Structure formats: C-alpha cells, structure tokens
Amino acid sequence: MVTLQDKSVIMMQIAGKNVYIYGVNEQSAPLIILNTFQGNGKEIYEKGRRWTDKPFRLAVIGDIEWNREMSPWECMPVFKGEKPFQAGADIYLAQLTGEIIPAIKREISAEPKTLIIAGYSLAGLFALYSLYRTDMFQGAVSASGSLWFPNFAEYVMDNPFAQKPEKVYLSLGNKEKNVKNKLMMQVENRTRAILNHYQQQGIDTVFELNPGNHFRDVDDRIAKGIVWILK
C-alpha cells in the first residue's frame, strides 16, 4: 500500500486500485464510498461541500474493471464491439469490504457510524446490489444507475437485504429511456418499480429525474445524490 497526503486529499493504492480520500479532518462524518470509471472525484467532493453544510468524507476508488467488477452476473454486451458483462461483482465486493474499506478506515483513524456506497451508471447498479450482499452499508446512491440490467429488478423484488438500508437515492436523466436498445429503454420503468418497492418497505427513498441523457452532468448527479442522502 502506497500513501501520499496533502492538506485536502489522501491518495492511496490498495489492492491495485487508486483511492482518493477527501474530508480528511471530518472525524465523525459519514463516509461515502464511490466506485468510479474515471477521474479522482475532486469536483464531486467540492460540489458536495458547496451544496451542503453537512460534513462528510468521500473515498473514491478508481481503476475498476468496469464490465467485470460492477456486474452481478453475466450478460451479453448491449452495444456491438463492447466487452460482455462478466459477473465479478461478488469477488470485487469481497475485496472492497475485506481489504479496501478497512485500509481506508485505518488511514483516517476512524470508524464512521454511517457508511454509504455510491456509484454512477453500472456502479450505481453495483451500489444497490451491495445492499443485498453485505450489511456494511446504511444507504446507497445510484445516480443514473444501470437498473435496466437483465433480471436485476426481479432480483430486488425477490431477495432480502443483508441489512435494510436507511436511505436510498435513485436518479436518471429524462432522456435515458429514449434509446433503441430494448434493454436500456426499460431503465426508467425499472427504476420506478424499484423506487416503489423500497418505499413500500418503509425505506426513505427518492427518485430524481434530471435533464439530459446518460452522459450529461455526471459529477453533478453524483454530488446531488450525496447531498440528499446526508440530509
């Protein structure tokens, strides 16, 4: 493990992943775990700090093998030329909960009372999936989550949480359903079905519809989810 530190961020390498920790002086603050496809999350943290007066720590984990580590089971690619989804979520989740998060806690010398998992797109799917596989998290942020994923909505309906979450944030762009792909065009219907299912269980859950397609205002959408779940 390699650690570098300045006044605003701790940069670590854990298990082959680059990890960036923001809010290093917020001793008792909730810890947000964000799996990301690219970037170090600095703008997300800065936006969140501007938009809420609630203190929080943000741990951003990069170098994710996206179609393998974020997918709960196998699925053919949705677009020609892309890699198939390779069912590595359980393996990565074991690494995340057993190695990466413990190393983060040791580095910040804290045991946060509240631990939230967050992600965008396929990592948003992974965030919800994690709630069924580990009791480590008290809530999840699924920003523009890939909840179109085959049989995922059915999995949500048919399986118990490892620990019932306190809060869940869901969002999409209002144009995300306007695609030709038969799976992906179901994303809003499936997200709303999951929203209703969670609300019926008494979970504090919100669904926010943002302007634009899947690729618009990514950092803003994640930051908005973090701000809401901190309320």
Side-chain angles (χ1 to χ4, degrees):
M1 180 178 70
V2 178
T3 303
L4 299 173
Q5 186 169 353
D6 62 28
K7 293 181 179 180
S8 61
V9 59
I10 297 173
M11 295 167 282
M12 310 171 65
Q13 192 171 72
I14 313 169
K17 308 293 187 189
N18 286 318
V19 179
Y20 306 86
I21 308 171
Y22 302 91
V24 296
N25 296 319
E26 304 291 356
Q27 290 299 320
S28 61
L31 175 61
I32 314 294
I33 302 295
L34 173 64
N35 293 291
T36 184
F37 181 72
Q38 61 184 6
N40 61 15
K42 181 180 179 181
E43 291 187 3
I44 295 169
Y45 177 73
E46 290 177 346
K47 287 176 185 291
R49 293 300 292 139
R50 289 198 301 269
W51 296 347
T52 182
D53 58 0
K54 301 285 187 181
F56 67 96
R57 282 191 170 108
L58 177 66
V60 180
I61 303 167
D63 304 285
I64 301 294
E65 294 183 39
W66 202 243
N67 282 24
R68 182 173 69 85
E69 293 178 322
M70 296 290 99
S71 57
W73 43 80
E74 292 182 357
C75 174
M76 294 300 292
V78 291
F79 296 114
K80 187 176 180 179
E82 289 189 347
K83 293 181 180 180
F85 301 94
Q86 299 171 12
D90 285 318
I91 295 172
Y92 173 67
L93 183 60
Q95 184 182 54
L96 177 66
T97 58
E99 186 174 359
I100 297 175
I101 292 176
I104 291 170
K105 290 179 178 179
R106 287 193 298 270
E107 186 65 31
I108 64 177
S109 301
E111 185 66 39
K113 293 181 180 179
T114 302
L115 195 63
I116 303 296
I117 186 162
Y120 193 91
S121 191
L122 200 58
L125 173 83
F126 176 82
L128 295 192
Y129 180 68
S130 299
L131 300 177
Y132 297 86
R133 308 298 290 175
T134 177
D135 61 2
M136 183 172 282
F137 305 108
Q138 287 74 56
V141 173
S142 179
S144 284
S146 299
L147 306 187
W148 53 263
F149 201 85
N151 299 317
F152 185 73
E154 291 82 356
Y155 178 88
V156 166
M157 307 301 173
D158 294 340
N159 288 274
F161 293 109
Q163 176 179 274
K164 186 177 177 180
E166 297 172 9
K167 302 182 74 171
V168 175
Y169 175 89
L170 307 172
S171 75
L172 285 174
N174 61 5
K175 295 183 179 180
E176 291 198 49
K177 64 182 179 181
N178 300 335
V179 293
K180 294 181 180 180
N181 184 277
K182 291 183 179 179
L183 277 175
M184 298 180 75
M185 69 171 53
Q186 296 298 318
V187 66
E188 188 172 324
N189 288 338
R190 290 175 175 266
T191 301
R192 291 185 183 276
I194 291 171
L195 167 73
N196 292 335
H197 180 66
Y198 286 173
Q199 289 179 336
Q200 288 171 7
Q201 295 183 72
I203 299 167
D204 188 3
T205 311
V206 70
F207 171 54
E208 188 166 12
L209 205 56
N210 300 288
N213 62 20
H214 186 67
F215 302 100
R216 179 173 168 180
D217 301 327
V218 173
D219 289 350
D220 285 11
R221 292 184 190 181
I222 299 171
K224 286 166 71 176
I226 291 171
V227 168
W228 181 85
I229 213 160
L230 291 171
K231 292 180 180 178

